[in-house]
């Protein structure tokens, strides 16, 4: 739970709620960007961030993102995170 | 060195291991008289076992596993209170998956769900908020657990709920803080630690200064570390170097993610929504002063304890840990998981007795999953 997962911001979805769409290991997920925004939200598009429980908590460079993803894959954390996202989608649809 | 082939950069790992061995030798560290280093964060524990770092490093380095696994330190009484909430007919109880299997006095949330409680696994507190929007006739309660890495997320979710005027969303707050249990461990006269590997992602939020007291008052070095294997090895080397030079400071190996002063938005959100509880119960460790957070009166409407009169806002049951279980001793590094009489017998990941066996960040589960633990139990 304490390991974040890297994602790339691909669009701003609801600026009034600081929400953006991120692509996380092939899965699209809406995330909150309040903790990484320090200017216009549009500037975040294309940026890599470390995502914890649906919140972008830190900006990281692409190389760091790639290294982190490899390590997380080996720890089984990527499958766990994307599995939780899918499970959450089911919980919402219920 | 069979593990080394799994490293992205085996040459770098080899060099670090050799340098660690050199310093350990000059310090006279041996298997009989090892240098005990505590990794505070369960993510580090998982990584250490996954890569077999405990076997690769010089035998005079001992990794002592710390209390930094949020579900591991959740006491049985809190799980029972969560189940009480979840079984209320009007409640949709939302939780991270990790917390589903943590045993309470008689049940886990997973078992409560099987028995008919509306328990839903979510990825984020924002999912719980969305459920509240979609189900105005139901009460959506989010099980807030975790250290400073997840605390800002529930704070921001509560602020958002307040802005929207949602009246059917609340948080059952079990957020805890890292520095206070470390102080409790350092004050333990039986504790013998030479230094600490500091948690990377907690520090990304709170910065490195909350650990200053460890160096200043207890003269122990701290190195905040990333969780990749090379990060951990590098941090071990940085700690040993401080020890060899008789220094004790807080150093930051993970500066690429951890700013010295943390994340200002997160810190502000936490300060706005939460205040310290006088004390909070930790599984195996008992009550620790100022170690837990509760929701400030200004946000009382979003506090599930106040809303439903349970937990610290109600009458709390005293629930002891299971007979003979060594969770508390393992949690603070006094015992190895294999020294617990239940390890691998009454307690396995399939039938966990203690929470340390539930999460991949728990020392017992990590021992079981990687490296000879099964053999030791048989
Ligand atoms: S083996 Fe089970 S009961 Fe024993 S310390 Fe580990 S989690 Fe607790």
């Amino acid at each position: 739970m304490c390991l974040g997962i890297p994602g790339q911001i691909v669009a701003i979805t609801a600026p009034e709620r600081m929400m953006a769409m991120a692509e996380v290991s092939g899965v699209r997920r809406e995330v909150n960007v309040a903790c990484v925004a320090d200017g216009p939200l549009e500037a975040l598009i294309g940026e890599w961030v470390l995502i914890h429980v649906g919140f972008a908590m830190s900006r990281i460079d692409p190389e760091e993102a790639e290294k982190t993803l490899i390590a997380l894959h080996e720890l089984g954390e990527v499958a766990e995170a994307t599995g939780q996202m899918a499970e959450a989608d089911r919980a919402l649809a219920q | 060195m069979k593990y080394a082939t799994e490293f992205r950069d085996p040459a770098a790992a080899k060099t670090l291991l050799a340098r660690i061995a050199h310093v350990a030798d000059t310090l006279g560290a041996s298997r009989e008289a090892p240098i005990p280093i505590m990794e505070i964060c369960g993510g580090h524990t998982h990584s250490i076992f996954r890569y077999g770092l405990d076997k690769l490093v010089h035998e005079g380095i001992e990794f002592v596993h710390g209390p930094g696994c949020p579900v591991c330190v959740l006491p049985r009484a809190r799980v029972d209170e969560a189940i009480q909430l979840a079984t209320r007919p009007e409640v949709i109880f939302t939780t991270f998956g990790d917390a589903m299997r943590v045993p309470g006095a008689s049940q886990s949330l997973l078992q409560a769900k099987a028995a008919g409680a509306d328990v839903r696994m979510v990825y984020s507190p924002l999912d719980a908020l969305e459920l509240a929007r979609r189900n105005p006739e139901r009460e959506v309660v989010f099980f807030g657990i975790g250290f400073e890495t997840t605390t800002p997320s529930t704070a921001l979710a509560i602020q958002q709920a307040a802005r929207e005027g949602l009246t059917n969303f609340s948080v059952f707050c079990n957020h805890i803080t890292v520095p206070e249990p470390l102080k409790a461990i350092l004050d333990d006269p039986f504790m013998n630690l030479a230094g600490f590997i500091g948690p990377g992602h907690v520090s990304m939020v709170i910065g490195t200064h909350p650990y200053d007291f460890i160096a200043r008052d207890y003269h122990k070095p701290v190195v905040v570390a990333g969780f990749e294997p090379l990060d951990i090895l590098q941090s071990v080397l940085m700690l040993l170097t401080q020890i060899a030079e008789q220094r004790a400071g807080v150093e930051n190996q993970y500066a690429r993610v951890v700013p010295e002063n943390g994340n200002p938005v997160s810190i502000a959100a936490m300060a706005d929504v939460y205040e310290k509880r006088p004390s909070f119960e930790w599984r195996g460790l008992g009550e620790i002063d100022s170690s837990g957070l509760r929701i400030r009166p200004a946000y009382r409407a979003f506090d599930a304890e106040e809303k439903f009169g349970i937990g610290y806002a109600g009458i709390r049951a005293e629930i002891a840990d299971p007979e003979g279980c060594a969770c508390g001793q393992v949690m603070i590094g006094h015992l190895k998981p294999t020294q617990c009489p239940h390890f691998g017998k009454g307690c396995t990941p399939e039938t966990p007795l203690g929470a340390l066996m539930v999460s991949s960040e728990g020392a017992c589960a990590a021992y079981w999953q990687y490296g000879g633990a099964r053999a030791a139990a048989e």
Side-chain angles (χ1 to χ4, degrees), chain B residues 161-217:
Chain B
R163 270 194 297 272
E164 291 178 35
L166 281 176
T167 56
N168 65 330
F169 172 78
S170 59
V171 173
F172 179 43
C173 178
N174 292 275
H175 287 297
I176 42 181
T177 52
V178 163
E180 287 72 18
L182 294 181
K183 185 169 184 318
I185 286 170
L186 283 160
D187 283 335
D188 180 341
F190 296 103
M191 182 50 62
N192 167 33
L193 291 169
F196 292 90
I197 297 176
H201 290 153
V202 161
S203 310
M204 168 187 78
V205 171
I206 64 175
T208 59
H209 292 301
Y211 314 115
D212 287 349
F213 78 97
I214 300 176
R216 189 187 57 229
D217 303 340

Side-chain angles (χ1 to χ4, degrees), chain A residues 4-23:
Chain A
I5 184 163
Q8 190 176 24
I9 305 292
V10 293
I12 304 301
T13 49
E16 71 290 355
R17 288 188 287 121
M18 304 296 268
M19 296 299 283
M21 188 60 77
E23 191 157 314

Side-chain angles (χ1 to χ4, degrees), chain B residues 325-327 330 337 340 342-343 347 353-357 364:
Chain B
C325 107
C327 299
V330 172
C340 171
H342 297 298
F343 183 86
C347 188
L353 200 57
L356 287 161
M357 200 48 111
C364 295

